Every structure is written in C-alpha cells, then in structure tokens.
Amino acid sequence: PDDPTVLYGLGTLLRELGRFDETEAAFRKSLENGPEDPYPLNSLAWLLATAPDRRQRRPEEALELARRAVTEAPQAATNYNTLGVAEYRNGLWDRAIATLKKSIEMCNGTDPTDFFFLAMAQRQRGDREEAERSFGRGVDVAKKDAPAFWEWRMIWAEASELLGKPGPVPTLYEVKAEPDRAMDTLRRMAAAGSIQPEILRTNSDLAPLRTRRDFQLLVLDLTMPAGRFAP
C-alpha cells in the first residue's frame, strides 16, 4: 500500500476512469513515499493544471511540481509540456511560449496540446498571427486521433474559445463537472453556426445534458426553420 510505483499506477488507472479526486489522492500518496519521482510529479502537476473541474485546479502548485519534474527528468518532453501548461495557467506567457516550443522540438510536434497552449499563450501576448498558425498546427495533429483522447478535445475546445474558432463539444468529464458551463459553450457554438442538432442528439459526451430543458430548447431552435422561434 505504500509502494510509490503502485500508487502512481493506481492514480493513472483512476484518472482513466474519470475519478479525479481519487487520482489526486493516489498521486499525492505516491509522492509522499517517493518525493523525487518525476512521474507522479508530472502527472499531479498536469492534473492540477488541466482538471476538467476547474475547482480542482491549483496553478501555483502545478507550476512548482512541474519545475521539480523537469529538474528530475530534463530529458522527458512530457515534463516540458506540463511545465509550459503550468506557466500558461499562471499568466507567464513568455516563459510558456519558450517552454512549449522546447517541448515541440523534443517530441517532434506529436503532442497537439503543445500547439494549443502555445496558441493560447501567443494570443494572450497579442501575437494573433502566430497564435493562428500554432492553432492550425494543433488541429492538424489532433484531428486524426482526437476521438480517442478526451484531453486533446478538451484543450482543443479551450483554445478554440479563446481564438474564436470552431472546436469540439465539451467532453463528458467537463459536462459532469460543470454542466452549466458546458451549456454556455454549446450556446456559443450554436450562435456561431459551428454545431448541428444531430451532434447534440447523438454525441455520447452530451448525454447527461439531454434531460435539461435548456438543452432540449437548444436542439429545437437549431432544428426549426429560419425565422421561427421555439416557445
């Protein structure tokens, strides 16, 4: 029960099940027994920077953990990815841009979250054209395998919102954690013309919302002919 490797593995499995509170507890217990292990350092930092429930995010702690992970394993691109994300969450735009570019170089541009967070950092710094290019590269990398990776879709959607671009619908974990926020996202997508009623009816991630009256009205509004309004 105190083996840090076993506890880290448990946390990883719990994360795949969407049991994020238990995931955090397992990673923290792993670090108690192996405080210099870069794997739980990085994984806990990532969770605290990107948890679907924003109330679970702790950007300052994520940054401290990510820095420690890079110190312990400077050869791992994933640690720089997490560090860049944590820097972004703390408003350190220039640092995030430099770190994410290093992560992209180290992993040969295979992680779309590097590009999406890079695009957001560039946009926050005011570099609109650079942000557009980075976002486009992220979409190119993500679109093939995004259905299999809910975190890619979650981060893609966040970048889409910031840059005013079409993006994927909220993930199941976001819908469960913050249903009102998910509805706000869907309404913005509908207003922009970037979502079809069939997606609302069939996408499995949106299933918890389908009993809501405002969701049903949104589907109805998108289904009705132009010029008519739902009651």
Side-chain angles (χ1 to χ4, degrees):
D2 295 324
D3 187 303
T5 302
V6 172
L7 289 163
Y8 171 69
L10 174 62
T12 302
L13 291 171
L14 289 166
R15 174 184 166 280
E16 293 303 313
L17 294 172
R19 293 159 60 176
F20 299 110
D21 288 340
E22 294 173 83
T23 299
E24 180 178 346
F27 286 159
R28 289 190 184 281
K29 186 67 175 176
S30 177
L31 284 173
E32 285 180 15
N33 296 287
E36 307 306 321
D37 189 333
Y39 291 102
L41 282 170
N42 180 72
S43 295
L44 180 57
W46 178 263
L47 177 66
L48 297 181
T50 65
D53 188 341
R54 295 169 186 242
R55 294 167 295 185
Q56 192 176 3
R57 296 181 185 177
R58 298 178 184 84
E60 292 183 1
E61 184 181 2
L63 181 58
E64 186 267 331
L65 291 166
R67 286 171 172 167
R68 287 170 56 192
V70 168
T71 298
E72 294 299 327
Q75 75 285 355
T78 185
N79 292 343
Y80 286 93
N81 168 262
T82 302
L83 177 58
V85 171
E87 289 169 339
Y88 174 80
R89 291 287 189 230
N90 283 274
L92 304 173
W93 316 132
D94 290 337
R95 292 186 187 179
I97 289 168
T99 303
L100 291 164
K101 285 183 177 179
K102 182 176 181 64
S103 178
I104 290 168
E105 180 181 354
M106 292 177 71
C107 73
N108 296 316
T110 57
D111 188 338
T113 66
D114 279 325
F115 292 111
F116 290 137
F117 275 103
L118 177 60
M120 289 191 283
Q122 290 167 332
R123 178 64 183 85
Q124 295 284 13
R125 197 174 66 174
D127 301 333
R128 292 176 179 268
E129 292 185 4
E130 288 293 324
E132 296 269 347
R133 282 193 286 270
S134 297
F135 179 81
R137 292 181 69 187
V139 171
D140 288 341
V141 176
K143 60 187 178 183
K144 180 179 179 181
D145 295 318
F149 296 98
W150 63 267
E151 282 187 317
W152 287 11
R153 289 183 285 119
M154 179 181 71
I155 294 165
W156 181 353
E158 180 181 353
S160 297
E161 182 179 343
L162 182 64
L163 273 68
K165 301 286 187 179
V169 301
T171 66
L172 177 63
Y173 297 133
E174 293 173 285
V175 168
K176 287 182 176 180
E178 299 181 89
D180 290 339
R181 183 180 178 86
M183 279 302 310
D184 288 341
T185 298
L186 293 175
R187 280 189 283 266
R188 285 194 299 271
M189 294 176 72
S194 61
I195 191 169
Q196 300 299 317
E198 190 63 21
I199 297 296
L200 296 178
R201 293 193 190 101
T202 61
N203 189 290
S204 59
D205 286 334
L206 304 180
L209 298 174
R210 292 202 176 102
T211 58
R212 291 177 55 132
R213 178 63 174 164
D214 53 354
F215 184 91
Q216 295 166 359
L217 286 174
L218 182 61
V219 175
L220 184 59
D221 286 342
L222 288 173
T223 305
M224 293 180 69
R228 299 185 62 188
F229 298 92

